[in-house]
Amino acid sequence: HTVVKNNMAASLICSETVSRVSSVLNRDGRQFGKKHMFDSNEETCWHSDQGSPQWVLLEFPQPVRVSELKVQFQGGFTGNTCRLEGTRLQKCFRSQHFASSPII
């Protein structure tokens, strides 16, 4: 399972931002859906179903510049390898690989 909570990105999220995720635990969007990633509630989060890879896609209505990305895993889950991809106006992707490290 992948469990993600990311309050830092909430400032980039608006009502026109489109989000998609790879899966939702037991297909229970009400309890575990993507909407919980950015709701600023520490008691909720997105839970993916089992399997790999898991992903989150965000489509912003305007260009954004990302200078920092923080992902918080809950419940003892961690990502081993993460990849951040971005594109500008449907042009080629830029990809950045990074290893996740637990927050202590």
Side-chain angles (χ1 to χ4, degrees), residues 81-102:
T81 302
C82 301
R83 184 173 73 199
L84 173 65
E85 293 183 349
T87 185
R88 185 174 183 184
L89 302 176
Q90 302 299 324
K91 294 183 181 176
C92 62
F93 281 98
R94 293 184 191 166
S95 197
Q96 177 68 44
H97 294 267
F98 58 94
S100 64
S101 58

Side-chain angles (χ1 to χ4, degrees), residues 4 6 8-9 12 38 58 60 66-72 82-85 96 98:
V4 178
N6 184 352
M8 298 304 292
L12 296 177
F38 306 107
L58 299 174
F60 299 100
V66 177
S67 59
E68 182 177 68
L69 175 69
K70 291 186 179 184
V71 178
Q72 179 180 342
C82 301
R83 184 173 73 199
L84 173 65
E85 293 183 349
Q96 177 68 44
F98 58 94

Side-chain angles (χ1 to χ4, degrees), residues 19-33:
S19 63
R20 295 184 179 97
V21 295
S22 53
S23 64
V24 175
L25 182 63
N26 300 325
R27 297 184 181 201
D28 186 351
R30 175 175 233 157
Q31 186 173 355
F32 303 120

Side-chain angles (χ1 to χ4, degrees), residues 52-68:
S52 186
Q54 298 297 330
W55 51 264
V56 174
L57 172 73
L58 299 174
E59 294 179 17
F60 299 100
Q62 71 284 334
V64 296
R65 181 177 300 266
V66 177
S67 59
E68 182 177 68

Side-chain angles (χ1 to χ4, degrees), residues 2-13:
T2 304
V3 183
V4 178
K5 186 72 172 188
N6 184 352
N7 289 330
M8 298 304 292
S11 63
L12 296 177
I13 307 299

